[in-house]
Amino acid sequence: MTLYFDTKIEFLDVDAVSTISSWHPNEPLFAVASYSQERGGSVTIFADTGEPQRDVTYPVHATSQATALCWHPEKALLATGWEHGEIHVWFAGHREFASVSGPHKAAIVLLEFSEQGGRMVTADAMGLVTGWRCDGQYQFLTMFSHDLREVLLLICFRRTVESEVREEMANLAKAAVAGDENALDTLTNWRPRTAARGHSTVRDNHCFYACTQGGVVYYINQGGSCSEVTKSGPHQPAIVQMLWHPKKDAVICLLEDLTIILYLVESTGILTELDRVKLSGRGTGKQGAIAWAGNSLAIITGDLSVRIWDIERSDNYLLKMDQSNSCHLAGMSSSLATSSSNNNNHNHNNISTGILFSPESSGESNGNLTRKVSKYTQLASNEIFTCLAYSTSNQTLCAATNLGNLYTWKRTLSCFVGAPEDAWQLGNISTLSRQGAVKSCTWGFNELSKPCILANCLSSVYMLKEQPLLAAHTRSLWAVQSSAKCVQLTHCSGRQCTVQADFAVTALALNELNLVVSNGRSISTYSLQRVEKTLDEFEEILEASGVGVGSTGSSSSASPPSLSVKLLQTFSGECLALGLQHQNIFCLNSSDIVVYSVGGVVLHRIMGNDVEGKIIGMDLTGCYLAVFTMNGYVKAYDVTRHDPKLLFPSKSGHEIFDDFGEFIVVKCNSLGSHLGVVIANSSFTPCASIYCWDFERNNLFEYDLTRSQPETDTDSRSSLAVRIFWDTEEPRLLAVEIRSMVMQKLPKQQQLQVPTPSHYVESQILVMFYSDKTDGKLNVLESQNISQGAQLLNLCVPSVVCVQVNAVQEQPLQDFADLQQCDAVTRRQVLNFSLHVAEGQMDLAFRCVRSIRSKVIWTNLARMCVHTSRLDVAKVCLGHLEQARSVRALRQAMEDDDLELEAKVAVLAIELGMLEEAKDLYKRCQRHDLLNKLLQSTGQLDEALKLAETEDRIHLKHTYYQKALALRESGDLKGALDYYEKTQNPVQHITQLLLEHPLAMKRYIQSTTDPKLLRWWGQYVESSGDMDAALAVYSKAEDWFSQVKILCYLGKISKADAIARQSGDRAACYHLGRHYENVGKFQEAIMFYTRAQTFSNAIRICKENDFQEELWTVASSSRSRDKAIAAAYFEECGNFRHAVELYHRAGMLHKALEMAFESQQPEILEIIASELNAESDGELINRCADFFGSIEQHQKAVQLLAKTKHLERALSICVEKGVPVTEELADLLTPSKGDLPETMRLSILVQLGDLLQQQGDYHSATKKFTQAGDKVRAMKSLLKSGNTDKIIFFATMSRQREIYIMAANYLQSLDWQSDPMILKHIVGFYGKGQAFDSLANFYAICAQLEIEEYQDYAKALVAMQEAAKCLEKLSHAQHAYNKLQRTVADVKCILEMQQSLQAGDNLSVIAACRSMLLKPELPPIRHAHILAMLVRALVYAKQFPEAGRALKELAVKDNSWSASGLVDRALVQRVAKECDLDFELIWNSGRQTNNSATTTTTRAQSTISMTTTTNTTTTSDDEADDEEIREELN
């Protein structure tokens, strides 16, 4: 409920009469021009309090008055134009008005600033227009002057219209409040104190239009050039008002004849007409006026009506003048204009309605305040509107009349309206002046950014301030402002009284002893009578009197006595907010907090320092005072003592919050440990979060309203916290009033149909608490919706206190629904229970309420058990609720082991009526069958069908059946039939449904194609005796049996025969076969019995009539039992061939074999043997094998025995009879693991491997030996195959020492000199087999080959060194190692001789060679090689005779020396020449070949003669096998 307190502006001159007025667009300042006969004209500047600005010398002219006033749009600068042509300017902070010299000589009629104030334009009565530039030093310079020689009616500056993209970027900062600044104004009236709303950063536009009295419109551009853009005719009306369009480059013009024209403005200033509307009205055009109301145009036309023209939708309507409409709308939706004064953070609430208090009516009761429009229309039918103004901040339109009345309409966007005029609510009707009309009305802002109205009447000026109704509450006493000067006090005992103040109350504070009120300038204190009665006595009084909480009257004649209130003191003091603690009054003024006694004595003063800034808000909760300052600092005081004690050092909001701009609400809890805080962010937009700051531990708890209320598919919401109240006793509990702007997401078609905004406001109260276990988040205890117009007043457990209009209402908390009147101990227990339940601590909650008898408590605890899955506690709760049936259902669910835990909890949820939670639990445990059952039981069949079709298809047909039953009960037969058709047994249900409706039955049967239903109908018709009709129905249903049955009955055998043959239906064929048998047609009967697969009947007929051929045919395709019967019959008849085959087909193999042996039928025996397997009778298998052996078919006998797993006998036959073993037969003869004992299985595998080895299949033998685990034998068999790759692979995979050695020995027999990989494998295998003696011998062979073949002693030395390394690893090879070392020393000596020979040291080489030749020749060193070196050294030393003798000795040692290239041919020629020898004879003596040359292996073995004793575990048989392998290899 919003009040408007009107204040008459008092001039310095009492006799002065107001002329014109103007309010600054951004500052709490307004200027009024006045005129008196004694002093003349004057201009006075007033503050928002209605008092003139001090220390300012106002201009006074005895013979002239001010004719024009205009404020600078951004600066505190006032420009005034006077009747004698002078211009005076006042700057903020200056005492005197400065005079601006200009060219004007006549009266200044127009004075306007541009959009940003960079250009000022003045116009006088002679038509002279002058442009001024205002610089930073407040100097005005003349830019241009144009003499238009005609009186100007108006000047309209061009405005910069922002683009849609730029507008969208500007709205990003307002996203938290529904996307625009009006939404912020909708949810809260808070305005930033530390920073004003951000101004537009658009570039100032100096272009403007000037309209003359003759109808000419001039356009003056940025540079000051003037051009004529429109000119009306001689009798055309002039433009009296021009407004710039807020969204586009266009202007709206109002003409004298009430014609409104919409012009499009081009960049050059040219006007293009877009639309023209002619309005009807009375009087002259001077009585018309227009104003922008949002994006619509408000128009008055000289009568008592306001028309709204929606230009975008081309719609217009009249605003309603009846207040009953506003009351109706107030019941439908939340008021958008209501908001708190929480920026002052005092302990009272605000109520918003539309009542305005004038001085004459301030003392009246609330019931007489509201006035009906009809009253005015009856008293004064000649009343018309004279002016109007619109406030964009609170979306309020005000219009004043010629009789001094002021009307206000609030534009409500908070509800869906059927007509656009319903969005406007008429709220205030006030009489400002009874002497004359209101000339102008203007909206402005006071210091707290609250909207104000400045109304200029004929002789006086009134300022109207918006003021919400006040209220305060304690546990036993509450106060509500009932009018501007009246406060209604109510005690919980029912006692009441009304306090009449001497002034309009703007602040209020209350406790049990005192009441304090203030109007901002004075403070009055009242003493209250202490009521000593107990609460029980109060209840008795209430019951006797019938007075409830929040009531303002009594329903009984015996009303309780009134409260005694006494005025203590009234004293002066600036006051923005009040707080009361015991006998101390805390008063917030413009800069600090003053502490008064109730007698008005100043006790203390709390001030902010230069760093903190001045104090701008306070709140007093109990004995703790919370304070925040202009610079964003917060602090708290303990005010129980005489001097307030600071609880913590002042803290900056920037240190507490990440994104901080200003404090909005700060309240301290009753313990003095936490602060409840609402802030604005750095862009000075209220944050959609609630904070609780633990200043003792510096912990911050947060509750984000945007995350807690996510968007849905149907709507999205933006929420703000507008009020916070801590509980008066519980320090953890606080209540927050939340206002949410809900944006309805309408479909596109609906959006086109509904022209009104699809959004509304919701209000609710969140009861929250903090806990150290919640990781910095506030927990919600519960939420309560509040009625329209109600506001949060206090939190006083067990109730949330709200105020509705002028009545206090208590809404109990959920757990206190039936415990409102309880003592403090019970209240504490129940509150602890609520907090523990919210935290999920079931055990603690249960302990708190164990002894409390309250069904609400136990119900809430049981509901909490659903979320915590505590079924044991839930069973106790249901017992306390005396719900035996629910306890039984829960116990059965708990004992059912097939149910998941979630399903058991769902049973509890169902018993408690928590169906949505039960659905979620069933979905969570994937029990779609139980969910389907729940949906069916609750009547949600459509959702059950959807679930059954997607998740629970096993119950789909049953769900169809339930849906059909529901439709049948509702009378929807067609729908029921559709769902019956989808069920498992539709015939039964459909027939039951339609039997009562024969005609519907017949129509349905004619249209259906269901064979079951047609068969039922045919049977129904057949039972009535109409065989032809029944035959037709059976034909449609394709029921062949019924057709044949009726045709046989009618004697139409040929047609029945054709149907039976064509359809092949077994029932039809059987019926027709019986018919043929009865008439003696046995062949036809046998054929149809066979088609019907009733072979026993056909065999019976064949036996009775001795039809052997037919019997063989029938028995061949019959069942085993029938085959056996037919075989016995053939055996009796002596037809053994058919008998044996039928016995065989019937599975009677013994009988078949006996008869086959007796009748000597080997073909049949072979067929029978092919079908035998391991599970067959062993005796039968042996008999068959003996039979095959008797006829010399040993291969078949072995095949049979192998197939039937008689492996030993099969192997013996293979060995004895020499049966070749193929790969397939070998696989059959291989026993699987588990078929035989392991020893027997290995024995069979070894025998099979020996057999395969004997037959030369070494690879298969290797495979069998490997399967038997005898890898040595497998390797021996593989060595015989000679497959090198497989030998290498097998040796690598076997990883056995003996196999490595065998593989390496085998590889030595190959050409390993030319294949490096074989050489690598030999070395590797010897190394892996640790056969270092063999490896040493191999290296010796390598060394011998290098010397013999290539005379490469270097490589031979390397091989010998490797052999020495191997011998080092053998402890028994020391002798061989020593011998090898001597050989290595000789090889090194030879290498040194070769190096000396290359170096040219021939003599040393000759000496060394002769020394070496004296030693006996020991392999691998050969004297021939030394002699060849000696020959070369002698030749190089030119000792040719000695060289010849050495050459002859070489020829004796090696007769192939020239062939092996020991000495070069050229060298021999030189020796022969020097010694005069026959070269050919010498050369040819060394070219003889040695056919009996000793093998390399023998020389290598002689090189290393060692006696090694290896610890082998092989038996003599293995050594013999090794010898055999060597012989094979050799």
Side-chain angles (χ1 to χ4, degrees), residues 515-527:
L515 170 69
V516 181
V517 295
S518 173
N519 67 343
R521 296 180 294 273
S522 299
I523 301 174
S524 295
T525 60
Y526 297 86
S527 174

Side-chain angles (χ1 to χ4, degrees), residues 1305 1308 1312 1322-1323 1326 1331-1345 1359-1360 1362-1367 1370 1372-1373 1376-1377 1380 1496-1508 1510:
N1305 292 339
Q1308 282 195 63
W1312 53 267
I1322 292 172
V1323 175
Y1326 276 138
F1332 300 113
D1333 50 354
S1334 300
L1335 183 58
N1337 288 333
F1338 178 69
Y1339 279 128
I1341 294 172
C1342 293
Q1344 183 67 29
L1345 287 175
M1360 289 180 182
E1362 293 295 331
K1365 292 179 182 179
C1366 295
L1367 292 178
L1370 300 174
H1372 58 276
Y1377 178 75
L1380 180 61
T1496 305
T1497 305
T1498 304
R1499 293 182 178 180
Q1501 290 176 351
S1502 63
T1503 303
I1504 307 174
S1505 71
M1506 50 187 164
T1507 59
T1508 61
T1510 59

Side-chain angles (χ1 to χ4, degrees), residues 96 179 286 475 533 633 658 660 1008 1193 1237 1270 1278 1285 1391:
E96 302 288 340
K286 294 182 180 179
R475 185 172 290 276
K533 289 186 176 293
Y633 282 83
D658 295 334
F660 175 77
T1008 187
Q1193 293 186 2
D1270 194 348
L1278 192 59
D1285 294 336
L1391 288 174

Side-chain angles (χ1 to χ4, degrees), residues 86 102 263 296 390 556 1001 1026 1054 1080 1177 1273 1276 1339 1444:
E86 292 183 358
Y263 287 106
S296 303
Y390 180 76
S556 175
M1001 168 73 81
D1026 191 354
S1054 60
D1177 188 8
R1273 284 195 175 189
K1276 290 179 180 179
Y1339 279 128

Side-chain angles (χ1 to χ4, degrees), residues 590-607:
S590 59
S591 60
D592 53 15
I593 297 174
V594 181
V595 183
Y596 297 98
S597 66
V598 292
V601 178
V602 177
L603 302 178
H604 195 77
R605 189 180 298 270
I606 301 175
M607 295 180 293

Side-chain angles (χ1 to χ4, degrees), residues 1029-1047:
L1031 183 63
V1033 175
Y1034 286 140
S1035 177
K1036 183 179 180 181
E1038 296 183 353
D1039 188 354
W1040 313 114
F1041 165 68
S1042 299
Q1043 294 182 57
V1044 169
K1045 179 180 66 173
I1046 292 179
L1047 289 173

